[in-house]
Amino acid sequence: MKKIVLALSAILVLVSCAQTKQWTDKERTEVKEVVRAHKEKTMLKHMEDNNFANIENCVVTTVEGTYPDYNKYDKLTGKTDTLTSVMINCTTEMLGANYENPQLQSIGILPADLTPDQISAFYTCFTGKVKEAYPQPATFAQDMCVDPGTTDIIIVMLQQCAQELQGTPAPAAKK
């Protein structure tokens, strides 16, 4: 997954360097408003505004770099899917694996004394559980945006992975 994101980012950089940007401030603001609307429907609603602004800027920069002509982007058949995919990539890129560690520790999911290898195993486990529950990225994105119960499912997955690190069985996540 990380290789795909890196390859996509490299392609986007190459494409953006080869083309001039033609978006107006109004068009950028329009895309940011769509991203903000998704924020209110997801777990990201609790993110600090300055951190979320970084995600907004990443989304706008990525989409604008890929589609320098706003009219071509605006007329895309899969415009919503494109934007959702970019939001997921930017969120993953911005948050990274270590962003949530202190929060997961403060609510008792992760112990504070994990080694880097244990943390890596935790996130590998979590990624596997998400991929198992949501075989299609679009399904995961859809649920994150519109299903308030997704947060509970994610928490159970996090707890399962933390307990697997400690050798304790956890309750199964229900979708």
Side-chain angles (χ1 to χ4, degrees), residues 6 10 18 28 31 43 51 54 60 97 117 119 124 144 151 156-157 160 174:
L6 291 173
R28 288 182 194 100
V31 172
M43 292 188 310
N51 289 331
N54 292 333
V60 170
D117 287 342
I119 291 171
T124 299
M144 289 297 291
T151 303
V156 169
M157 289 177 184
Q160 288 173 340
K174 297 176 184 170

Side-chain angles (χ1 to χ4, degrees), residues 12 15-16 19-25 27-28 31 57-70 73 86:
L12 294 175
V15 170
S16 68
Q19 300 172 337
T20 60
K21 295 182 179 181
Q22 300 172 357
W23 284 32
T24 65
D25 288 339
E27 293 163 342
R28 288 182 194 100
V31 172
N57 290 331
C58 174
V59 171
V60 170
T61 302
T62 302
V63 174
E64 184 176 0
T66 305
Y67 301 97
D69 181 354
Y70 180 81
Y73 164 73
V86 172

Side-chain angles (χ1 to χ4, degrees), residues 84-167:
T84 300
S85 174
V86 172
M87 282 191 286
I88 291 169
N89 287 338
C90 287
T91 302
T92 303
E93 217 173 278
M94 293 293 181
L95 295 180
N98 293 325
Y99 176 83
E100 293 291 334
N101 290 350
Q103 291 177 339
L104 292 175
Q105 290 167 359
S106 72
I107 60 173
I109 291 179
L110 276 181
D113 59 348
L114 293 178
T115 66
D117 287 342
Q118 288 173 314
I119 291 171
S120 177
F122 171 79
Y123 285 106
T124 299
C125 171
F126 178 57
T127 301
K129 288 189 180 299
V130 170
K131 286 181 179 179
E132 183 181 317
Y134 301 97
Q136 299 299 317
T139 306
F140 178 69
Q142 174 76 21
D143 282 0
M144 289 297 291
C145 293
V146 298
D147 183 1
T150 301
T151 303
D152 295 333
I153 294 167
I154 297 298
I155 289 171
V156 169
M157 289 177 184
L158 291 167
Q159 290 170 333
Q160 288 173 340
C161 291
Q163 290 176 350
E164 285 177 20
L165 283 176
Q166 299 169 349

